[in-house]
C-alpha cells in the first residue's frame, strides 16, 4: 500500500488513501501471497532510502517487514513487532493484519490469540480483505474467541466480495459459495493492482471513472493522486473537490483530508470553522484520526476555544483506538507544566528558531479559551509569544550581567575588569 510521501504540506496533515492492500498470512512461518509479495518487493526497493527513520505509516510497516524478512538487516522478529505495532497504531490495516498473525503464532512476541483477534478486528473494520479473512478464520476455528460459524461466514463473505481468494475457498468449505464482488469492487481492485505496480496514470483512469460514478473510495483515491501528483499534474483544487465528494458520502478518511485542506488552504479557501466541522464529522463515526484531529483543534484553538481539558478528552478517545500520536499527547498534556506544543514545524521554527529557550514562562504559555478563526490570527498570537519570550530572555541576561557587574565593582568577583551590562532592555 502506498502512503503519502513526507513533503512538508503532505506531512502536516497526512493525506490518507482509500486502497486496502492485502498482507495475507495463513500458516506459519510466512506464506507469501500475491499482495504481501508486492508489499515485500516494494519494501525491498525502499528500505535503503527509509533507513531507520520512517516518515509515514507505509515506511514504518516496511521497516517491520525488513526486520522479519531480513531486508538489508539481520532478522529480528522482536524488532519487527515493534515497528509493525507502530504502523498498526496509525490505523495502517496491512500492518494490523501482519501483527495479528505474528502475535497469534508467537512470532517475536508472546502467543496471545485474543490480542491477535483485536488487531484482525481493527483491520477488518478498515475494510482490509485479509483482516476480514483472518477474523473469519478466528471465528471458524475459535482462535481467541468463541467459535461461531455464522460470524465466520459473514466475514468470509465480506472478504471474498473484495476478491480475497482464501475466503472464497473457506466459504466453499463451509458449504456456501462466495458472493460475487460488485462491479465497483472489481474495478477498484483492478485500479489497485495498477497502482501497486506504480502505473499511476492507468490507475487514475480507473479510479476517476469510478469516482465519476459516485464510488466514494475511488473519489478519495482520485483526490489523493491529484494531491500528490501521481499519474497527473499535481492539483490541490481538484484534489479537494474529490475529497469533498467522498466526504459528503460520510467517508471518514476523506473527511480528515478535507479538514486538513481547509486548515492549510490547500485547494480551498482557508476556513478553520470548516476544518473543525469535517474533523468532527469523522470523529462522530469513531474514526481514530478524526478523533485525533478534534483533540488537536482544542489543543491549539483551531476554530474552537482552546482547551487543554477538551484536547485530553478527545486524544484519550483516539488513543483508546490505538492512535500513536494521540497517546503521546494525552500523556504529555496531563503532565503538570508540560507545554502544549506547536501546530506544525513552521510554528515551532518561528518561536524556537533552533535556540535554547530559557524563559520558563514559555512553558506555561497557552491561549486558554481563545478561538483562532484563521492562521493569520494564530500567527499574530505566535508573534506576540516570541516577542514576549525574547524580551524575557534579554532581561534575564541583562539582570545576570548587571548583578555580576555590581559584584565586580564591590571587588567580590576578583575580575580585573568589570564589564558594564549596558542599558536595560
Amino acid at each position: 500500500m502506498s502512503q503519502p510521501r513526507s513533503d512538508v504540506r503532505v506531512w502536516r496533515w497526512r493525506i490518507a488513501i482509500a486502497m486496502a492492500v492485502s498482507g495475507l498470512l495463513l500458516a506459519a512461518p510466512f506464506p507469501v501471497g500475491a499482495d504481501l509479495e508486492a508489499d515485500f518487493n516494494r519494501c525491498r526497493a525502499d528500505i535503503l532510502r527509509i533507513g531507520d527513520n520512517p516518515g509515514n505509516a507505509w515506511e514504518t510497516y516496511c521497516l517491520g517487514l525488513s526486520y522479519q524478512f531480513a531486508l538489508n538487516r539481520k532478522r529480528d522478529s522482536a524488532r519487527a513487532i515493534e515497528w509493525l505495532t507502530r504502523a498498526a497504531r496509525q490505523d495502517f490495516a496491512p500492518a494490523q493484519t501482519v501483527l495479528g498473525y505474528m502475535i497469534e503464532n508467537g512470532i517475536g512476541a508472546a502467543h496471545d490469540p485474543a490480542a491477535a483477534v483485536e488487531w484482525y478486528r481493527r483491520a477488518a473494520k478498515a475494510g482490509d480483505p485479509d483482516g476480514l479473512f483472518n477474523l473469519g478464520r478466528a471465528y471458524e476455528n475459535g482462535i481467541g474467541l468463541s467459535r461461531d460459524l455464522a460470524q465466520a461466514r459473514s466475514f468470509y463473505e465480506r472478504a471474498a466480495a473484495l476478491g480475497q481468494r482464501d475466503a472464497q475457498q473457506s466459504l466453499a468449505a463451509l458449504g456456501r459459495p462466495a458472493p460475487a464482488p460488485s462491479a465497483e469492487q472489481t474495478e477498484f481492485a483492478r485500479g489497485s493492482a495498477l497502482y501497486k505496480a506504480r502505473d499511476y496514470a492507468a490507475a487514475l483512469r480507473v479510479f476517476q471513472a469510478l469516482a465519476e460514478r459516485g464510488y466514494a473510495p475511488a473519489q478519495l483515491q482520485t483526490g489523493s493522486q491529484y494531491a500528490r501528483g501521481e499519474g497527473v499534474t499535481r492539483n490541490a483544487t481538484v484534489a479537494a473537490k474529490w475529497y469533498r465528494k467522498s466526504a459528503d458520502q460520510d467517508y471518514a478518511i476523506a473527511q480528515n483530508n478535507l479538514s486538513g485542506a481547509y486548515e492549510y488552504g490547500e485547494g480551498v479557501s482557508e476556513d478553520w470553522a470548516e476544518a473543525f466541522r469535517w474533523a468532527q464529522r469523522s470523529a462522530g463515526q469513531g474514526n481514530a484520526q478524526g478523533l485525533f484531529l478534534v483533540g488537536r483543534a482544542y489543543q491549539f484553538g483551531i476554530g474552537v476555544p482552546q482547551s487543554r481539558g477538551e484536547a485530553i478528552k478527545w486524544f484519550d478517545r483516539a488513543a483508546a483506538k490505538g492512535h500513536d500520536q494521540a497517546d503521546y499527547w494525552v500523556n504529555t498534556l496531563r503532565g503538570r507544566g508540560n507545554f502544549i506544543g506547536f501546530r506544525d514545524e513552521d510554528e515551532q521554527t518561528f518561536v524556537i528558531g533552533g535556540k535554547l529557550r530559557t524563559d520558563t514562562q514559555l512553558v506555561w504559555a497557552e491561549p486558554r479559551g481563545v478561538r483562532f478563526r484563521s492562521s493569520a490570527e494564530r500567527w499574530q498570537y505566535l508573534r506576540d509569544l516570541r516577542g514576549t519570550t525574547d524580551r524575557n530572555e534579554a532581561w534575564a541576561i541583562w539582570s545576570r550581567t548587571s548583578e555580576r557587574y555590581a559584584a565586580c565593582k564591590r571587588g567580590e568577583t576578583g575580575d580585573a575588569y568589570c564589564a558594564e551590562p549596558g542599558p536595560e532592555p
Side-chain angles (χ1 to χ4, degrees):
M1 173 183 282
S2 177
Q3 290 290 307
R5 291 188 292 272
S6 57
D7 59 89
V8 173
R9 282 292 185 190
V10 173
W11 175 88
R12 280 174 174 160
W13 43 282
R14 296 175 182 268
I15 293 172
I17 62 175
M19 282 197 304
V21 179
S22 301
L24 176 62
L25 302 168
L26 291 176
F30 271 98
V32 181
D35 292 301
L36 181 57
E37 186 174 8
D39 287 351
F40 175 87
N41 288 333
R42 181 184 169 192
C43 182
R44 183 167 54 188
D46 285 353
I47 193 60
L48 285 176
R49 174 183 58 79
I50 295 169
D52 289 313
N53 297 291
N56 53 48
W58 154 257
E59 293 181 355
T60 306
Y61 168 58
C62 176
L63 197 50
L65 294 182
S66 75
Y67 275 108
Q68 182 56 34
F69 295 112
L71 291 174
N72 201 47
R73 62 194 72 238
K74 184 178 179 181
R75 178 171 175 167
D76 187 333
S77 294
R79 293 294 301 278
I81 286 284
E82 176 186 339
W83 288 107
L84 289 169
T85 300
R86 293 187 187 187
R89 285 177 175 170
Q90 296 178 53
D91 286 337
F92 193 77
Q96 292 169 341
T97 302
V98 175
L99 178 62
Y101 182 85
M102 291 181 69
I103 293 173
E104 178 191 339
N105 290 278
I107 302 171
H111 170 67
D112 190 342
V117 165
E118 287 309 305
W119 286 116
Y120 294 151
R121 198 179 299 281
R122 286 175 60 174
K125 188 174 181 180
D128 181 67
D130 294 320
L132 290 162
F133 167 74
N134 277 296
L135 189 54
R137 182 174 58 81
Y139 274 113
E140 180 182 4
N141 298 286
I143 300 169
L145 39 68
S146 299
R147 191 165 185 256
D148 187 330
L149 293 183
Q151 286 278 48
R153 287 191 185 95
S154 174
F155 284 107
Y156 283 154
E157 285 175 351
R158 290 171 60 188
L162 294 172
Q164 219 283 352
R165 287 169 293 182
D166 294 279
Q168 295 168 355
Q169 295 171 5
S170 295
L171 277 172
L174 289 176
R176 180 175 295 186
S182 68
E184 289 84 0
Q185 289 169 335
T186 299
E187 272 296 279
F188 194 85
R190 185 168 74 87
S192 298
L194 291 167
Y195 187 91
K196 286 184 288 182
R198 301 197 180 191
D199 190 347
Y200 297 133
L204 182 61
R205 287 193 291 273
V206 174
F207 292 132
Q208 191 156 352
L210 278 172
E212 296 283 2
R213 283 152 48 190
Y215 191 54
Q219 291 170 336
L220 170 61
Q221 177 63 23
T222 299
S224 295
Q225 288 194 228
Y226 271 101
R228 294 195 302 277
E230 291 179 333
V232 68
T233 301
R234 187 172 180 177
N235 190 319
T237 302
V238 175
K241 180 193 79 170
W242 286 114
Y243 290 153
R244 179 63 182 258
K245 288 179 180 294
S246 183
D248 279 339
Q249 297 190 62
D250 280 335
Y251 211 72
I253 302 172
Q255 291 170 341
N256 296 336
N257 286 2
L258 193 56
S259 174
Y262 276 112
E263 180 183 344
Y264 283 98
E266 289 286 317
V268 292
S269 297
E270 183 186 285
D271 187 331
W272 282 18
E274 277 292 282
F276 178 76
R277 187 172 75 86
W278 285 108
Q280 195 172 39
R281 282 186 61 173
S282 174
Q285 299 184 66
N287 180 269
Q289 179 67 6
L291 292 164
F292 171 77
L293 290 175
V294 172
R296 179 173 170 274
Y298 280 109
Q299 181 182 12
F300 301 118
I302 304 171
V304 291
Q306 192 274 345
S307 169
R308 182 182 290 241
E310 282 294 305
I312 290 171
K313 182 181 79 174
W314 289 96
F315 285 149
D316 202 30
R317 291 178 61 186
K321 290 178 174 289
H323 197 289
D324 222 18
Q325 288 176 285
D327 185 63
Y328 169 81
W329 280 114
V330 76
N331 290 304
T332 297
L333 295 181
R334 278 177 174 155
R336 293 188 63 187
N338 285 344
F339 182 50
I340 64 166
F342 295 100
R343 193 168 58 98
D344 54 35
E345 283 186 351
D346 287 349
E347 289 192 356
Q348 179 170 326
T349 299
F350 179 75
V351 176
I352 304 300
K355 301 177 183 177
L356 178 61
R357 288 299 199 178
T358 59
D359 179 18
T360 56
Q361 292 186 47
L362 180 61
V363 174
W364 304 98
E366 191 167 334
R368 295 175 182 83
V370 175
R371 182 201 306 264
F372 297 111
R373 293 167 296 181
S374 66
S375 60
E377 290 184 2
R378 182 161 170 85
W379 276 104
Q380 183 56 56
Y381 160 75
L382 292 170
R383 279 190 286 272
D384 293 342
L385 178 63
R386 187 175 78 166
T388 300
T389 301
D390 288 343
R391 288 190 296 274
N392 288 347
E393 290 180 352
W395 189 90
I397 292 171
W398 178 86
S399 181
R400 289 194 299 270
T401 305
S402 181
E403 288 173 3
R404 184 172 182 84
Y405 176 72
C408 177
K409 296 297 283 184
R410 293 193 300 267
E412 297 171 359
T413 64
D415 294 336
Y417 171 75
C418 299
E420 295 188 17
E424 182 177 347

